[in-house]
Amino acid sequence: MVIVTLTTRNRVWSALPPIGERDDRPLDLPHLDAATQAQVVARLLSPDFDAWSVAASRVGFCAKPIRLVGQSLTFDKTTGELVRSYGSADEPIGVTFVRCGNRRASECESCSRLYAADTFHLIRSGVIGGKGVPVTVGENPLVFATLTAPSFGPVHGTRPNHGRCRPRRDTGARCQHGRPLSCMAIHDQDDSAVGQPLCPDCYDYASQVVWQWWAPELWRRLTITLGRMLAHHLQVLPAHLGQIASLQYAKVAEYQLRGAVHFHALVRLDGPQTPDGFAPAPTSVTASVLSALVKQAAEAVRVTADPVHLDDVARVLAFGAQVDTRPVRTSSRTDDPDRELTPEQVAGYLAKYATKSATDTEAKDSTHLRRLHATARAMAARTVSADDDPRAPYGLLGRWAHTLGFRGHFATKSRRYSVTLGALRRARQRAQARIAEANRSGIPLDLRALEAELLAEEADETTIVIGSWAYAGTGWANDGETALATAAASRAREYAQERAQRRKQQSSGEK
Ligand SMILES: [Zn+2]
Ligand SMILES: [Zn+2]
Ligand SMILES: [Zn+2]
């Protein structure tokens, strides 16, 4: 138990994110040992607690912020005049805190949520415009595709309509290892058997590792094949496709329970490649046509993979049979009646997968995943390593054993899909600086052109910043401060969820 005075409690409360109608909930500080509790109490009662909580809230209660000391001087580019200066000495604690920026919720809840939010906006603006992307992009055909890995052996799973896992008439049938070939159970999502093979000795672990290794190449070839099919559809040479149309995409890789990566992708058809991008697509390609072409391309793609070592075999790799492609409803075009998903839905899905994927393999431990790891390591040990031959096809396999052979990025996009994460981050920093400036000077922010100004390219800057900063360490001063920041981050998440819930209820009430 942490005992605090009412004054301190009020101070903590005012330091926390905006409080809704229910402000009687205590801050959740579970399972702290005596030493950490003492640190929490010491921090709460410290004379500079206000300053600390302001600093913590500025980095969104990041669990492991970077501490910097130094200063930045901002000069006008043309006149050379000093416009403003900022230094860690201006901070009440004398240190500048910067977010850790970790994408994984297990490392930092606050930064991973920010990453998810940025990813959501990045994906959403490519669907309906905004953040510097013209809204007309919403008129261009858009497809949501899910591409899985093929089967490497039967696994336990949930079935539609509470169906049995792997029913068979001859329930006594067994594999050569004496394990049943059927499973009459009805598994639910939380069942630990889900994703585990019926027989680990029949399961083809080696092929899964090899498939995973080449999955990024399968995707690359899919985009090339799709381009060729589109050119054919539009009756132009593939080399001339760019003069009338271009493909843009955003994709996210996610681990299934069986440890196989699959891809969720948004594929959009734009008009001719122009420096600005986002031109209107040729009208002869509707979202339904594009959806059919993506499906065809995904089914056609093959990669021939060399053996990993002397006793291994060559494999012809393909995507799994369950290729799912759906048109997304975005446009007002009436000639396209069968668009299905809404833009908000797909942007939400992809952003969710983008943050989920980075954490998933380590979070879920199972005999099956351990064996997959072990297989990747054993294969890597037998292949020609990159140290001996930099061009060896599996030379770096050992370094990717922890991701079960998958060496791709978890979230990628083509250049002209929408805005970049970097631009969103820069915009946030600029916004913070503008707000701080407005607070200092008392001159209100000019909101009219603010978004465009915040998202502008670096080249448009009229000022130059000269900084000298030194790294002073990582993390809060002790476990007690970390516990406080983590608890506040969870509270901030609860408030955000409640606000979203209320907005949802309000908007459904208005309809
Ligand atoms: Zn963080
Ligand atoms: Zn089963
Ligand atoms: Zn078996």
Side-chain angles (χ1 to χ4, degrees), residues 59 61-65 98-102 107-112:
V59 288
F61 305 104
C62 169
K64 214 176 175 183
V98 178
R99 282 176 170 278
C100 74
N102 204 303
E107 296 292 320
C108 179
E109 180 171 322
S110 172
C111 293
S112 78

Side-chain angles (χ1 to χ4, degrees), residues 94-440:
V95 178
T96 297
F97 289 98
V98 178
R99 282 176 170 278
C100 74
N102 204 303
R103 298 170 178 200
R104 290 148 77 177
S106 56
E107 296 292 320
C108 179
E109 180 171 322
S110 172
C111 293
S112 78
R113 274 180 42 230
L114 194 65
Y115 169 71
D118 280 355
T119 304
F120 176 81
H121 285 296
L122 181 156
I123 289 163
R124 186 176 183 271
S125 60
V127 175
I128 55 169
K131 308 279 172 209
V133 178
V135 291
T136 50
V137 85
E139 303 289 320
N140 287 350
L142 185 71
V143 169
F144 186 63
T146 301
L147 307 161
T148 60
S151 170
F152 304 104
V155 293
H156 296 281
T158 56
R159 307 288 171 233
N161 307 316
H162 299 283
R164 294 188 187 284
C165 175
R166 294 202 164 257
R168 257 179 98 110
R169 203 158 290 161
D170 53 339
T171 50
R174 308 216 157 222
C175 73
Q176 53 168 312
H177 309 98
R179 297 193 178 94
L181 291 170
S182 59
C183 173
M184 303 304 280
I186 299 166
H187 301 294
D188 69 21
Q189 205 73 54
D190 304 324
D191 197 328
S192 61
V194 170
Q196 308 285 309
L198 268 70
C199 174
D201 295 316
C202 286
Y203 194 87
D204 189 357
Y205 286 92
S207 291
Q208 183 168 341
V209 170
V210 172
W211 189 90
Q212 216 99 286
W213 183 251
W214 293 108
E217 178 63 12
L218 270 168
W219 169 264
R220 194 184 69 87
R221 292 201 191 175
L222 164 64
T223 59
I224 295 168
T225 306
L226 180 59
R228 282 202 200 109
M229 287 178 170
L230 260 170
H232 185 254
H233 182 87
L234 291 163
Q235 296 179 315
V236 293
L237 290 170
H240 298 161
L241 182 65
Q243 292 164 18
I244 50 169
S246 58
L247 283 163
Q248 302 296 335
Y249 68 85
K251 101 177 186 310
V252 164
E254 186 202 10
Y255 282 102
Q256 295 173 296
L257 283 169
R258 62 175 168 143
V261 142
H262 63 174
F263 294 127
H264 302 277
L266 275 170
V267 182
R268 189 182 73 216
L269 186 72
D270 287 357
Q273 278 166 357
T274 59
D276 296 339
F278 315 112
T283 48
S284 69
V285 184
T286 61
S288 314
V289 169
L290 185 62
S291 174
L293 290 176
V294 174
K295 194 174 171 72
Q296 260 183 53
E299 283 165 356
V301 176
R302 298 287 181 274
V303 169
T304 304
D306 287 342
V308 178
H309 50 75
L310 288 175
D311 300 326
D312 195 25
V313 291
R315 296 171 178 87
V316 177
L317 308 173
F319 283 112
Q322 303 164 2
V323 174
D324 183 56
T325 64
R326 296 180 204 198
V328 180
R329 189 192 301 119
T330 55
S331 84
S332 46
R333 268 165 66 174
T334 48
D335 58 335
D336 208 358
D338 44 7
R339 293 190 158 198
E340 289 169 23
L341 295 163
T342 70
E344 299 286 337
Q345 276 174 326
V346 292
Y349 286 154
L350 246 64
K352 190 187 84 192
Y353 296 136
T355 39
K356 208 177 137 215
S357 56
T359 52
D360 258 15
T361 45
E362 279 124 294
K364 295 207 180 69
D365 184 39
S366 69
T367 327
H368 175 60
L369 292 190
R370 279 200 296 273
R371 185 150 171 183
L372 206 46
H373 267 144
T375 307
R377 280 197 306 271
M379 292 177 95
R382 296 194 61 190
T383 196
V384 180
S385 115
D387 299 336
D388 299 329
D389 177 3
R391 287 168 312 163
Y394 301 98
L396 296 171
L397 181 58
R399 284 191 214 163
W400 297 97
H402 68 291
T403 55
L404 311 175
F406 181 61
R407 57 181 154 154
H409 292 288
F410 283 96
T412 53
K413 61 173 200 69
S414 57
R415 215 171 77 81
R416 280 287 171 205
Y417 172 74
S418 68
V419 63
T420 63
L421 282 177
L424 289 175
R425 260 180 231 131
R426 213 158 50 229
R428 192 164 40 243
Q429 280 162 6
R430 286 178 191 167
Q432 276 168 357
R434 299 277 203 288
I435 292 164
E437 186 72 18
N439 285 341
R440 244 196 314 269

